[in-house]
Amino acid sequence: MSNSTRPGSADRRIYIDKQSPKPYHALVQTSEAVRTTAAEADLDRTVVELINLRVSQINGCASCLDVHTRAAVRGGETAQRLGVLAAWRDTEVFTAVERAALGLAEATTDPSDADLQESAYATAREVLTDDQISAVIWVAVTINAFNRVSILSKHPVR
C-alpha cells in the first residue's frame, strides 16, 4: 500500500496543508488577494485582524487565534480591545465600521440564523460601502477555511 492509501494511527492527524500543498497554496494566494481587496476597499488592517480573531474565536481555532493575535498586536491593537472582542456587542470600544464588520463576519461564519444574518447585513449596508461589505465577507470566508485546515490538522500553538 502506498502512504496515501495506508490507514494510519487513529490518533495521528495529517497536516492537510503539508499532505496536499497545492490547495493550501491556492488558499494562501486567495488570502493575499483578499488582503489586497480589503486594503483597496479602505478597510484598515486592524479591522481585518479583528475579523480573523472573532471568526477564529467562534470556530475555536487556537492556532489561528495565536497567529492573528500576534498580527493584531504588531498592528497596534490594544490588550483591552483584544480582551473584550468576544463580547464586542456589550462594549463601546469598537467603531461603527468595526461593529458592522464583526456582525457581518459572524453572520458569514454561522449563516444558519437568518434573522441575525439579515440584521447584520442591514447594519453593514448602513455603515460600509459595497466594496467593504464584499471584502469583509471574503475575509470571513477565508479565515473560516484556514480555521478548518488548522482545526482538522490539529496545528499546534507554538
Side-chain angles (χ1 to χ4, degrees):
M1 258 190 211
S2 74
N3 193 30
S4 64
T5 59
R6 182 178 43 233
S9 164
D11 61 341
R12 185 182 70 81
R13 293 292 178 114
I14 297 167
Y15 286 8
I16 66 169
D17 50 324
K18 305 290 188 239
Q19 186 69 29
S20 305
K22 285 183 183 178
Y24 182 75
H25 290 302
L27 184 56
V28 169
Q29 288 178 324
T30 299
S31 176
E32 291 167 357
V34 167
R35 189 174 18 247
T36 298
T37 297
E40 289 171 350
D42 290 326
L43 277 181
D44 186 88
R45 181 63 189 210
T46 302
V47 175
V48 171
E49 291 306 335
L50 289 173
I51 294 166
N52 287 333
L53 285 166
R54 183 64 191 124
V55 170
S56 297
Q57 286 174 337
I58 292 166
N59 290 327
C61 184
S63 178
C64 292
L65 283 166
D66 180 53
V67 167
H68 292 287
T69 296
R70 286 187 278 120
V73 169
R74 278 193 312 273
E77 192 54 80
T78 68
Q80 178 195 31
R81 286 166 41 101
L82 291 174
V84 299
L85 180 59
W88 64 269
R89 284 182 177 85
D90 300 325
T91 180
E92 298 299 317
V93 301
F94 298 101
T95 69
V97 167
E98 292 165 341
R99 296 171 73 78
L102 289 167
L104 193 54
E106 287 183 0
T108 303
T109 300
D110 182 10
S112 64
D113 185 338
D115 291 337
L116 179 63
Q117 187 180 74
E118 289 305 314
S119 174
Y121 203 89
T123 299
R125 293 294 296 156
E126 293 173 8
V127 178
L128 303 174
T129 68
D130 291 357
D131 286 343
Q132 289 172 328
I133 289 171
S134 181
V136 166
I137 293 170
W138 275 112
V139 171
V141 165
T142 305
I143 191 61
N144 269 290
F146 277 111
N147 286 170
R148 277 135 183 89
V149 168
S150 290
I151 290 167
L152 291 169
S153 296
K154 288 205 174 215
H155 286 160
V157 173
R158 297 179 196 236

